[in-house]
Amino acid sequence: MEAVRARIRDVPDFPQKGVVFKDITPVLADPATFREVIDAFVSRWKDERISKVVGIESRGFLFAAPLAYALGAGLTIARKPGKLPWETIREVYSLEYGENALELHIDAVKAGERVLVVDDVLATGGTADAVGRLVARQGAHLVAYSFLVELGFLGGAKRLGREHVHALLSY
Amino acid sequence: MEAVRARIRDVPDFPQKGVVFKDITPVLADPATFREVIDAFVSRWKDERISKVVGIESRGFLFAAPLAYALGAGLTIARKPGKLPWETIREVYSLEYGENALELHIDAVKAGERVLVVDDVLATGGTADAVGRLVARQGAHLVAYSFLVELGFLGGAKRLGREHVHALLSY
């Protein structure tokens, strides 16, 4: 994973002053590095009978989609309010100032499914936690949250439950 | 492709009154159908020496990412202004009322690369055309635009150049 880590680019003051953003786009751009990342996700989850992978809008889609394809699982997407066209369920999460929400289609996951939630970066865990609550409301089994990068100092794994959190790289 | 077509859901009056939206999320949700779609893209493009697949925000990511993985190509993303953290180039496109724009990172595609632009639905072709212009500005070779669905009655293929447009399904 050190070749992958070397391609993650720190962008200071994005999206706001004082934040150092982890830009994962160089990881995607190089075929061997992108393949290494997806294969590492596949290797971790291939024996866990995952039936549905949930990608979190929108960089989560970049990892969730090839993972679902390679696992032979279904794919669904968690989106900001108003983006999904069909009937939805919604969970709210807190931001530093105010709140936001994520939605799933009501038929996105079914009772009894084994679900993996995927995103690029685990920061405070607010969005992933909202998706976990949506999955639980549908009676599905949340196997784990899986990330390319975990920013350990922000405490997201504690919020989600350390035993449910997997990341390929930690900072 | 008829099993795929059967899973595309018409949603009336989304995102606005009078529009019938093609909801592709049921295509993703079924493992065999999702696999069939990605394999059909792979079959079409595997002999074209594609070096970079561009996914258009954000449903385009769902098809571009597994396609890039399966082809052994690199992946990059075209996004709305302000979403990409690094230095970008931008192209504007017209909407029914007003205009919008899409951006690529300046290092997203390189001169001489063979590039495939991927999105879920071809409607008027405004966004795809903007991405095509971004690719051309970098000196890369646009091999084609490839879509899950083409809405033929909206004239997008004519705008993009019919010889550069591929779609798995047409309406």
Side-chain angles (χ1 to χ4, degrees):
Chain A
M1 276 300 131
E2 290 315 301
V4 178
R5 187 189 296 266
R7 285 184 181 272
I8 294 175
R9 178 161 59 188
D10 283 350
V11 181
D13 300 323
F14 185 90
Q16 61 199 55
K17 191 119 185 121
V19 174
V20 179
F21 187 81
K22 295 290 180 192
D23 176 17
I24 57 86
T25 62
V27 172
L28 311 171
D30 180 65
T33 311
F34 184 48
R35 165 96 29 141
E36 179 181 348
V37 164
I38 301 304
D39 287 348
F41 278 118
V42 172
S43 177
R44 174 63 188 85
W45 299 113
K46 67 184 165 49
D47 297 324
E48 299 287 341
R49 295 174 291 114
I50 304 296
S51 63
K52 188 69 56 68
V53 179
V54 184
I56 301 180
E57 180 170 356
S58 64
R59 284 183 301 272
F61 300 176
L62 301 165
F63 303 97
L67 178 57
Y69 172 74
L71 291 176
L75 172 66
T76 194
I77 52 181
R79 301 204 65 176
K80 298 282 171 61
K83 297 285 194 74
L84 288 168
W86 193 247
E87 195 179 340
T88 58
I89 56 173
R90 179 184 297 193
E91 286 282 338
V92 171
Y93 60 93
S94 300
L95 300 171
E96 194 175 0
Y97 302 101
E99 58 184 33
N100 210 330
L102 281 170
E103 297 185 338
L104 282 183
H105 274 156
I106 53 162
D107 58 357
V109 297
K110 293 181 169 49
E113 280 205 289
R114 290 176 60 82
V115 175
L116 184 69
V117 175
V118 171
D119 207 353
D120 62 334
V121 175
L122 171 60
T124 63
T127 56
D129 184 53
V131 176
R133 283 182 273 128
L134 289 165
V135 168
R137 278 172 60 182
Q138 302 302 72
H141 175 63
L142 178 79
V143 176
Y145 305 92
S146 195
F147 304 91
L148 172 59
V149 171
E150 177 190 359
L151 303 178
F153 53 92
L154 291 173
K158 187 172 176 191
R159 179 173 184 166
L160 299 174
R162 167 49 69 191
E163 70 282 11
H164 290 114
V165 174
H166 164 261
L168 295 177
L169 288 171
S170 291
Y171 288 86
Chain B
M1 276 301 131
E2 289 315 301
V4 177
R5 189 189 293 269
R7 285 185 182 271
I8 294 176
R9 178 161 61 187
D10 282 350
V11 182
D13 299 324
F14 185 91
Q16 59 199 59
K17 191 115 185 125
V19 174
V20 179
F21 186 82
K22 296 289 179 192
D23 176 18
I24 57 87
T25 62
V27 172
L28 311 172
D30 180 66
T33 311
F34 184 49
R35 165 93 33 137
E36 180 181 347
V37 164
I38 301 303
D39 287 348
F41 278 119
V42 172
S43 178
R44 174 63 187 84
W45 298 113
K46 67 184 165 50
D47 297 325
E48 300 288 342
R49 295 175 290 115
I50 305 296
S51 63
K52 188 69 56 70
V53 179
V54 183
I56 301 180
E57 178 170 356
S58 63
R59 284 183 301 272
F61 300 176
L62 302 165
F63 303 98
L67 178 56
Y69 172 74
L71 291 176
L75 172 66
T76 193
I77 53 180
R79 302 204 65 175
K80 299 282 172 59
K83 296 288 193 74
L84 288 169
W86 193 246
E87 195 179 341
T88 59
I89 57 173
R90 178 183 298 194
E91 285 283 336
V92 171
Y93 60 93
S94 300
L95 300 171
E96 194 174 358
Y97 303 101
E99 58 183 34
N100 210 331
L102 282 171
E103 297 184 339
L104 282 183
H105 273 157
I106 51 162
D107 58 357
V109 297
K110 294 183 167 48
E113 280 206 287
R114 290 178 59 82
V115 175
L116 184 70
V117 175
V118 172
D119 207 353
D120 62 335
V121 176
L122 171 60
T124 64
T127 55
D129 184 53
V131 176
R133 283 181 274 127
L134 289 166
V135 169
R137 276 172 62 182
Q138 302 300 75
H141 175 63
L142 179 78
V143 176
Y145 305 92
S146 194
F147 304 91
L148 172 60
V149 172
E150 177 191 358
L151 303 177
F153 53 91
L154 291 174
K158 187 172 175 191
R159 178 173 186 167
L160 298 175
R162 167 48 72 190
E163 72 281 12
H164 289 114
V165 174
H166 163 262
L168 296 177
L169 288 171
S170 291
Y171 290 86

